Amino acid sequence: MIFQGFFIRRPNIPIGWRWAHWLGFHSYSFRNALYNEFDGRIVLKDLSVYPPVTENFSGEAVIANFDFQDEDLTTNCIIMVAMIVGYRLIAAIWQQFFHTGLK
């Protein structure tokens, strides 16, 4: 979860750990959630909330801050489904060969 882009932005991840960003399921779901929430939205000034919003800003500014301007939600969903199927397949193979004792 550290390498999904929320705590450490993608360009700031050390070179040796960048593979973890693409391997993590959370990277794709976080991008979809952020894009879905802020695309086309204007956040209005509101001092009564915590933390207070001191000025109006666009959702595109939030998306740009995370460097997610060119996200494709469909591709991210396809990648997440492929990860689910792939991880389940790996687990099934592991269980077949190592848990049941069949070789």
Side-chain angles (χ1 to χ4, degrees), residues 72-85:
D72 182 12
L73 302 180
T74 305
T75 301
N76 287 342
C77 288
I78 291 170
I79 290 170
M80 288 188 290
V81 168
M83 290 175 99
I84 291 169
V85 171

Side-chain angles (χ1 to χ4, degrees), residues 62-75:
V62 175
I63 293 170
N65 182 46
F66 283 94
D67 195 26
F68 292 163
Q69 300 94 319
D70 56 346
E71 285 305 311
D72 182 12
L73 302 180
T74 305
T75 301

Side-chain angles (χ1 to χ4, degrees), residues 1 13-14 22 46 60 71 80 88 92 96:
M1 287 182 65
I13 298 173
W22 302 111
D46 187 359
E60 279 75 19
E71 285 305 311
M80 288 188 290
R88 298 280 297 193
Q96 179 67 28

Side-chain angles (χ1 to χ4, degrees), residues 4 20-30 79-81 83-84 87:
Q4 73 183 3
H21 174 77
W22 302 111
L23 190 63
F25 187 84
H26 297 94
S27 299
Y28 303 100
S29 60
F30 175 66
I79 290 170
M80 288 188 290
V81 168
M83 290 175 99
I84 291 169
Y87 291 150

